[in-house]
Amino acid sequence: MPDLISLSIDGQTVTVPAGTTVVAAIACVAAAAAPAAGAPTAAAPSTGAGAGWSATTSATGPAVTRRSVSGALRGPLCGMGVCHECRVTIDGRAHQLACQALCTPGMQVRTALAENAA
Ligand code: FES
């Protein structure tokens, strides 16, 4: 089983395997909160890549990272550092690309959903 690390996404504790990107952790939280019919479930595999992740969460809806200048909620698109739709605040640093950042123990991630609640 891979090493597991815990971090906070919008104040919710998430545990993921080491090497997981921040955007994948955000997607896990969203999937755990609101699985859509036919969508992948939040159930973690017991072995192999992704084994052991879990999320304690309340309903957050689809994966959301930021707001556009017009106020629309936006989420990750390319997953490879090109579109910049995955910008979040990580440990107080704004506009970090969640798809390019690896989760670290104790990391504090803030998305547009938390900014709405503030
Ligand atoms: S998802 Fe496109 S830059 Fe991160």
mmCIF file of all heavy atoms in Angstrom, residues 77-115:
data_model
loop_
_atom_site.group_PDB
_atom_site.id
_atom_site.type_symbol
_atom_site.label_atom_id
_atom_site.label_comp_id
_atom_site.label_asym_id
_atom_site.label_seq_id
_atom_site.Cartn_x
_atom_site.Cartn_y
_atom_site.Cartn_z
ATOM 1 N N LEU A 77 -9.429 21.405 -16.624
ATOM 2 C CA LEU A 77 -9.762 21.058 -17.998
ATOM 3 C C LEU A 77 -8.676 20.197 -18.645
ATOM 4 O O LEU A 77 -8.919 19.068 -19.025
ATOM 5 C CB LEU A 77 -9.996 22.320 -18.817
ATOM 6 C CG LEU A 77 -10.403 22.122 -20.267
ATOM 7 C CD1 LEU A 77 -11.726 21.388 -20.363
ATOM 8 C CD2 LEU A 77 -10.488 23.457 -20.991
ATOM 9 N N CYS A 78 -7.470 20.723 -18.741
ATOM 10 C CA CYS A 78 -6.441 20.014 -19.510
ATOM 11 C C CYS A 78 -5.642 19.006 -18.685
ATOM 12 O O CYS A 78 -5.190 18.001 -19.216
ATOM 13 C CB CYS A 78 -5.493 21.003 -20.170
ATOM 14 S SG CYS A 78 -4.370 21.818 -19.009
ATOM 15 N N GLY A 79 -5.428 19.311 -17.434
ATOM 16 C CA GLY A 79 -4.650 18.418 -16.578
ATOM 17 C C GLY A 79 -3.166 18.398 -16.873
ATOM 18 O O GLY A 79 -2.448 17.520 -16.396
ATOM 19 N N MET A 80 -2.683 19.369 -17.644
ATOM 20 C CA MET A 80 -1.250 19.362 -17.983
ATOM 21 C C MET A 80 -0.633 20.759 -17.962
ATOM 22 O O MET A 80 0.384 20.992 -18.609
ATOM 23 C CB MET A 80 -1.035 18.710 -19.341
ATOM 24 C CG MET A 80 -1.761 19.342 -20.472
ATOM 25 S SD MET A 80 -1.495 18.351 -21.956
ATOM 26 C CE MET A 80 -2.372 19.354 -23.142
ATOM 27 N N GLY A 81 -1.221 21.684 -17.211
ATOM 28 C CA GLY A 81 -0.577 22.975 -17.001
ATOM 29 C C GLY A 81 -0.774 23.994 -18.098
ATOM 30 O O GLY A 81 -0.069 25.016 -18.125
ATOM 31 N N VAL A 82 -1.710 23.785 -18.986
ATOM 32 C CA VAL A 82 -1.896 24.689 -20.118
ATOM 33 C C VAL A 82 -3.067 25.652 -19.913
ATOM 34 O O VAL A 82 -2.945 26.851 -20.150
ATOM 35 C CB VAL A 82 -2.098 23.876 -21.425
ATOM 36 C CG1 VAL A 82 -2.422 24.796 -22.594
ATOM 37 C CG2 VAL A 82 -0.861 23.045 -21.718
ATOM 38 N N CYS A 83 -4.201 25.149 -19.468
ATOM 39 C CA CYS A 83 -5.426 25.966 -19.468
ATOM 40 C C CYS A 83 -5.540 26.925 -18.277
ATOM 41 O O CYS A 83 -6.233 27.919 -18.341
ATOM 42 C CB CYS A 83 -6.657 25.069 -19.510
ATOM 43 S SG CYS A 83 -6.984 24.161 -17.982
ATOM 44 N N HIS A 84 -4.901 26.632 -17.180
ATOM 45 C CA HIS A 84 -4.936 27.441 -15.956
ATOM 46 C C HIS A 84 -6.321 27.510 -15.315
ATOM 47 O O HIS A 84 -6.573 28.368 -14.482
ATOM 48 C CB HIS A 84 -4.380 28.846 -16.205
ATOM 49 C CG HIS A 84 -2.901 28.856 -16.413
ATOM 50 N ND1 HIS A 84 -2.091 29.885 -16.011
ATOM 51 C CD2 HIS A 84 -2.073 27.937 -16.968
ATOM 52 C CE1 HIS A 84 -0.838 29.616 -16.330
ATOM 53 N NE2 HIS A 84 -0.809 28.438 -16.909
ATOM 54 N N GLU A 85 -7.215 26.604 -15.702
ATOM 55 C CA GLU A 85 -8.552 26.569 -15.091
ATOM 56 C C GLU A 85 -8.524 25.968 -13.688
ATOM 57 O O GLU A 85 -9.500 26.058 -12.958
ATOM 58 C CB GLU A 85 -9.514 25.764 -15.966
ATOM 59 C CG GLU A 85 -9.798 26.373 -17.307
ATOM 60 C CD GLU A 85 -10.626 27.641 -17.221
ATOM 61 O OE1 GLU A 85 -10.997 28.063 -16.117
ATOM 62 O OE2 GLU A 85 -10.897 28.205 -18.287
ATOM 63 N N CYS A 86 -7.425 25.357 -13.317
ATOM 64 C CA CYS A 86 -7.347 24.652 -12.031
ATOM 65 C C CYS A 86 -6.693 25.491 -10.947
ATOM 66 O O CYS A 86 -6.290 24.955 -9.923
ATOM 67 C CB CYS A 86 -6.589 23.339 -12.214
ATOM 68 S SG CYS A 86 -4.853 23.581 -12.670
ATOM 69 N N ARG A 87 -6.604 26.789 -11.136
ATOM 70 C CA ARG A 87 -5.924 27.628 -10.147
ATOM 71 C C ARG A 87 -6.646 27.617 -8.807
ATOM 72 O O ARG A 87 -7.860 27.804 -8.748
ATOM 73 C CB ARG A 87 -5.797 29.066 -10.657
ATOM 74 C CG ARG A 87 -4.749 29.207 -11.743
ATOM 75 C CD ARG A 87 -4.719 30.589 -12.292
ATOM 76 N NE ARG A 87 -5.897 30.767 -13.166
ATOM 77 C CZ ARG A 87 -6.326 31.933 -13.587
ATOM 78 N NH1 ARG A 87 -5.727 33.049 -13.221
ATOM 79 N NH2 ARG A 87 -7.379 31.996 -14.376
ATOM 80 N N VAL A 88 -5.861 27.394 -7.760
ATOM 81 C CA VAL A 88 -6.359 27.392 -6.390
ATOM 82 C C VAL A 88 -5.336 28.107 -5.512
ATOM 83 O O VAL A 88 -4.237 28.443 -5.960
ATOM 84 C CB VAL A 88 -6.577 25.954 -5.866
ATOM 85 C CG1 VAL A 88 -7.683 25.240 -6.642
ATOM 86 C CG2 VAL A 88 -5.282 25.148 -5.908
ATOM 87 N N THR A 89 -5.703 28.314 -4.277
ATOM 88 C CA THR A 89 -4.765 28.860 -3.304
ATOM 89 C C THR A 89 -4.198 27.707 -2.493
ATOM 90 O O THR A 89 -4.955 26.913 -1.925
ATOM 91 C CB THR A 89 -5.468 29.868 -2.378
ATOM 92 O OG1 THR A 89 -5.973 30.944 -3.190
ATOM 93 C CG2 THR A 89 -4.511 30.417 -1.338
ATOM 94 N N ILE A 90 -2.884 27.576 -2.491
ATOM 95 C CA ILE A 90 -2.208 26.507 -1.755
ATOM 96 C C ILE A 90 -1.314 27.137 -0.711
ATOM 97 O O ILE A 90 -0.421 27.934 -1.041
ATOM 98 C CB ILE A 90 -1.385 25.603 -2.697
ATOM 99 C CG1 ILE A 90 -2.300 24.918 -3.715
ATOM 100 C CG2 ILE A 90 -0.588 24.573 -1.893
ATOM 101 C CD1 ILE A 90 -1.569 24.072 -4.759
ATOM 102 N N ASP A 91 -1.561 26.797 0.540
ATOM 103 C CA ASP A 91 -0.786 27.323 1.663
ATOM 104 C C ASP A 91 -0.650 28.842 1.569
ATOM 105 O O ASP A 91 0.434 29.400 1.777
ATOM 106 C CB ASP A 91 0.586 26.647 1.735
ATOM 107 C CG ASP A 91 0.476 25.175 2.102
ATOM 108 O OD1 ASP A 91 -0.534 24.782 2.738
ATOM 109 O OD2 ASP A 91 1.393 24.415 1.750
ATOM 110 N N GLY A 92 -1.753 29.505 1.229
ATOM 111 C CA GLY A 92 -1.795 30.962 1.184
ATOM 112 C C GLY A 92 -1.284 31.579 -0.097
ATOM 113 O O GLY A 92 -1.355 32.802 -0.251
ATOM 114 N N ARG A 93 -0.773 30.774 -1.015
ATOM 115 C CA ARG A 93 -0.270 31.310 -2.287
ATOM 116 C C ARG A 93 -1.353 31.153 -3.353
ATOM 117 O O ARG A 93 -1.721 30.025 -3.707
ATOM 118 C CB ARG A 93 1.011 30.609 -2.717
ATOM 119 C CG ARG A 93 2.176 30.884 -1.761
ATOM 120 C CD ARG A 93 3.461 30.286 -2.243
ATOM 121 N NE ARG A 93 3.233 28.914 -2.676
ATOM 122 C CZ ARG A 93 4.121 28.167 -3.301
ATOM 123 N NH1 ARG A 93 5.294 28.653 -3.574
ATOM 124 N NH2 ARG A 93 3.825 26.947 -3.659
ATOM 125 N N ALA A 94 -1.842 32.258 -3.858
ATOM 126 C CA ALA A 94 -2.934 32.246 -4.836
ATOM 127 C C ALA A 94 -2.432 31.814 -6.215
ATOM 128 O O ALA A 94 -1.234 31.899 -6.510
ATOM 129 C CB ALA A 94 -3.563 33.628 -4.926
ATOM 130 N N HIS A 95 -3.363 31.379 -7.042
ATOM 131 C CA HIS A 95 -3.123 31.084 -8.459
ATOM 132 C C HIS A 95 -2.113 29.963 -8.691
ATOM 133 O O HIS A 95 -1.336 30.006 -9.647
ATOM 134 C CB HIS A 95 -2.693 32.351 -9.208
ATOM 135 C CG HIS A 95 -3.622 33.499 -9.005
ATOM 136 N ND1 HIS A 95 -4.937 33.470 -9.397
ATOM 137 C CD2 HIS A 95 -3.434 34.699 -8.398
ATOM 138 C CE1 HIS A 95 -5.513 34.601 -9.066
ATOM 139 N NE2 HIS A 95 -4.625 35.368 -8.449
ATOM 140 N N GLN A 96 -2.155 28.948 -7.834
ATOM 141 C CA GLN A 96 -1.299 27.775 -8.039
ATOM 142 C C GLN A 96 -2.056 26.779 -8.917
ATOM 143 O O GLN A 96 -3.267 26.595 -8.768
ATOM 144 C CB GLN A 96 -0.953 27.133 -6.691
ATOM 145 C CG GLN A 96 -0.260 28.084 -5.740
ATOM 146 C CD GLN A 96 1.045 28.611 -6.297
ATOM 147 O OE1 GLN A 96 1.945 27.850 -6.622
ATOM 148 N NE2 GLN A 96 1.131 29.927 -6.461
ATOM 149 N N LEU A 97 -1.360 26.140 -9.825
ATOM 150 C CA LEU A 97 -1.987 25.158 -10.703
ATOM 151 C C LEU A 97 -2.136 23.832 -9.964
ATOM 152 O O LEU A 97 -1.147 23.143 -9.682
ATOM 153 C CB LEU A 97 -1.165 24.962 -11.980
ATOM 154 C CG LEU A 97 -1.019 26.188 -12.869
ATOM 155 C CD1 LEU A 97 -0.201 25.842 -14.112
ATOM 156 C CD2 LEU A 97 -2.369 26.769 -13.243
ATOM 157 N N ALA A 98 -3.379 23.470 -9.666
ATOM 158 C CA ALA A 98 -3.641 22.254 -8.900
ATOM 159 C C ALA A 98 -3.223 21.001 -9.655
ATOM 160 O O ALA A 98 -2.876 20.000 -9.034
ATOM 161 C CB ALA A 98 -5.122 22.179 -8.530
ATOM 162 N N CYS A 99 -3.225 21.046 -10.972
ATOM 163 C CA CYS A 99 -2.857 19.851 -11.736
ATOM 164 C C CYS A 99 -1.350 19.645 -11.766
ATOM 165 O O CYS A 99 -0.889 18.567 -12.134
ATOM 166 C CB CYS A 99 -3.419 19.908 -13.155
ATOM 167 S SG CYS A 99 -2.618 21.102 -14.239
ATOM 168 N N GLN A 100 -0.594 20.659 -11.389
ATOM 169 C CA GLN A 100 0.866 20.559 -11.421
ATOM 170 C C GLN A 100 1.472 20.458 -10.026
ATOM 171 O O GLN A 100 2.686 20.352 -9.884
ATOM 172 C CB GLN A 100 1.459 21.769 -12.153
ATOM 173 C CG GLN A 100 0.987 21.895 -13.588
ATOM 174 C CD GLN A 100 1.391 20.706 -14.429
ATOM 175 O OE1 GLN A 100 2.571 20.428 -14.598
ATOM 176 N NE2 GLN A 100 0.412 19.978 -14.940
ATOM 177 N N ALA A 101 0.625 20.511 -9.000
ATOM 178 C CA ALA A 101 1.117 20.478 -7.623
ATOM 179 C C ALA A 101 0.808 19.123 -6.995
ATOM 180 O O ALA A 101 -0.308 18.614 -7.126
ATOM 181 C CB ALA A 101 0.459 21.587 -6.815
ATOM 182 N N LEU A 102 1.791 18.558 -6.340
ATOM 183 C CA LEU A 102 1.587 17.304 -5.617
ATOM 184 C C LEU A 102 1.137 17.611 -4.197
ATOM 185 O O LEU A 102 1.605 18.582 -3.583
ATOM 186 C CB LEU A 102 2.875 16.483 -5.584
ATOM 187 C CG LEU A 102 3.381 15.986 -6.935
ATOM 188 C CD1 LEU A 102 4.682 15.215 -6.748
ATOM 189 C CD2 LEU A 102 2.336 15.117 -7.627
ATOM 190 N N CYS A 103 0.245 16.791 -3.681
ATOM 191 C CA CYS A 103 -0.214 16.933 -2.303
ATOM 192 C C CYS A 103 0.951 16.698 -1.352
ATOM 193 O O CYS A 103 1.783 15.816 -1.578
ATOM 194 C CB CYS A 103 -1.316 15.920 -2.000
ATOM 195 S SG CYS A 103 -2.814 16.154 -2.977
ATOM 196 N N THR A 104 1.000 17.499 -0.304
ATOM 197 C CA THR A 104 2.001 17.313 0.745
ATOM 198 C C THR A 104 1.273 17.267 2.080
ATOM 199 O O THR A 104 0.170 17.827 2.221
ATOM 200 C CB THR A 104 3.046 18.448 0.747
ATOM 201 O OG1 THR A 104 2.375 19.690 0.955
ATOM 202 C CG2 THR A 104 3.820 18.483 -0.563
ATOM 203 N N PRO A 105 1.866 16.621 3.068
ATOM 204 C CA PRO A 105 1.201 16.511 4.371
ATOM 205 C C PRO A 105 0.894 17.894 4.956
ATOM 206 O O PRO A 105 1.755 18.776 4.971
ATOM 207 C CB PRO A 105 2.229 15.768 5.234
ATOM 208 C CG PRO A 105 3.067 15.017 4.249
ATOM 209 C CD PRO A 105 3.130 15.892 3.028
ATOM 210 N N GLY A 106 -0.334 18.060 5.406
ATOM 211 C CA GLY A 106 -0.742 19.308 6.044
ATOM 212 C C GLY A 106 -1.031 20.447 5.097
ATOM 213 O O GLY A 106 -1.354 21.557 5.538
ATOM 214 N N MET A 107 -0.948 20.213 3.814
ATOM 215 C CA MET A 107 -1.204 21.260 2.818
ATOM 216 C C MET A 107 -2.612 21.827 3.018
ATOM 217 O O MET A 107 -3.550 21.094 3.321
ATOM 218 C CB MET A 107 -1.063 20.660 1.420
ATOM 219 C CG MET A 107 -1.363 21.600 0.284
ATOM 220 S SD MET A 107 -1.203 20.742 -1.315
ATOM 221 C CE MET A 107 0.521 21.047 -1.665
ATOM 222 N N GLN A 108 -2.747 23.125 2.849
ATOM 223 C CA GLN A 108 -4.040 23.797 2.950
ATOM 224 C C GLN A 108 -4.417 24.300 1.555
ATOM 225 O O GLN A 108 -3.744 25.174 1.012
ATOM 226 C CB GLN A 108 -3.958 24.982 3.917
ATOM 227 C CG GLN A 108 -3.545 24.606 5.330
ATOM 228 C CD GLN A 108 -4.658 23.891 6.064
ATOM 229 O OE1 GLN A 108 -5.807 24.299 6.000
ATOM 230 N NE2 GLN A 108 -4.309 22.816 6.752
ATOM 231 N N VAL A 109 -5.470 23.722 0.996
ATOM 232 C CA VAL A 109 -5.913 24.094 -0.345
ATOM 233 C C VAL A 109 -7.248 24.811 -0.237
ATOM 234 O O VAL A 109 -8.140 24.378 0.490
ATOM 235 C CB VAL A 109 -6.072 22.840 -1.241
ATOM 236 C CG1 VAL A 109 -6.575 23.226 -2.630
ATOM 237 C CG2 VAL A 109 -4.758 22.087 -1.325
ATOM 238 N N ARG A 110 -7.365 25.899 -0.962
ATOM 239 C CA ARG A 110 -8.595 26.689 -0.933
ATOM 240 C C ARG A 110 -9.082 26.882 -2.370
ATOM 241 O O ARG A 110 -8.336 27.346 -3.228
ATOM 242 C CB ARG A 110 -8.304 28.033 -0.275
ATOM 243 C CG ARG A 110 -9.505 28.857 0.037
ATOM 244 C CD ARG A 110 -9.042 30.031 0.919
ATOM 245 N NE ARG A 110 -10.047 31.032 1.003
ATOM 246 C CZ ARG A 110 -10.970 31.086 1.941
ATOM 247 N NH1 ARG A 110 -10.989 30.189 2.883
ATOM 248 N NH2 ARG A 110 -11.865 32.048 1.934
ATOM 249 N N THR A 111 -10.328 26.506 -2.610
ATOM 250 C CA THR A 111 -10.916 26.664 -3.938
ATOM 251 C C THR A 111 -11.945 27.794 -3.913
ATOM 252 O O THR A 111 -12.210 28.378 -2.868
ATOM 253 C CB THR A 111 -11.613 25.368 -4.398
ATOM 254 O OG1 THR A 111 -12.828 25.220 -3.654
ATOM 255 C CG2 THR A 111 -10.727 24.154 -4.214
ATOM 256 N N ALA A 112 -12.555 28.024 -5.065
ATOM 257 C CA ALA A 112 -13.602 29.047 -5.147
ATOM 258 C C ALA A 112 -14.786 28.706 -4.264
ATOM 259 O O ALA A 112 -15.501 29.606 -3.831
ATOM 260 C CB ALA A 112 -14.048 29.208 -6.597
ATOM 261 N N LEU A 113 -15.009 27.429 -3.986
ATOM 262 C CA LEU A 113 -16.130 27.059 -3.133
ATOM 263 C C LEU A 113 -15.946 27.586 -1.720
ATOM 264 O O LEU A 113 -16.895 28.029 -1.091
ATOM 265 C CB LEU A 113 -16.311 25.540 -3.128
ATOM 266 C CG LEU A 113 -16.754 24.930 -4.450
ATOM 267 C CD1 LEU A 113 -16.818 23.418 -4.322
ATOM 268 C CD2 LEU A 113 -18.093 25.493 -4.886
ATOM 269 N N ALA A 114 -14.736 27.560 -1.219
ATOM 270 C CA ALA A 114 -14.462 28.099 0.112
ATOM 271 C C ALA A 114 -14.591 29.607 0.109
ATOM 272 O O ALA A 114 -15.045 30.211 1.072
ATOM 273 C CB ALA A 114 -13.075 27.683 0.582
ATOM 274 N N GLU A 115 -14.185 30.213 -0.994
ATOM 275 C CA GLU A 115 -14.283 31.669 -1.084
ATOM 276 C C GLU A 115 -15.736 32.101 -1.110
ATOM 277 O O GLU A 115 -16.087 33.156 -0.621
ATOM 278 C CB GLU A 115 -13.521 32.162 -2.309
ATOM 279 C CG GLU A 115 -12.017 31.968 -2.126
ATOM 280 C CD GLU A 115 -11.229 31.961 -3.415
ATOM 281 O OE1 GLU A 115 -11.814 32.255 -4.469
ATOM 282 O OE2 GLU A 115 -10.039 31.636 -3.348
#
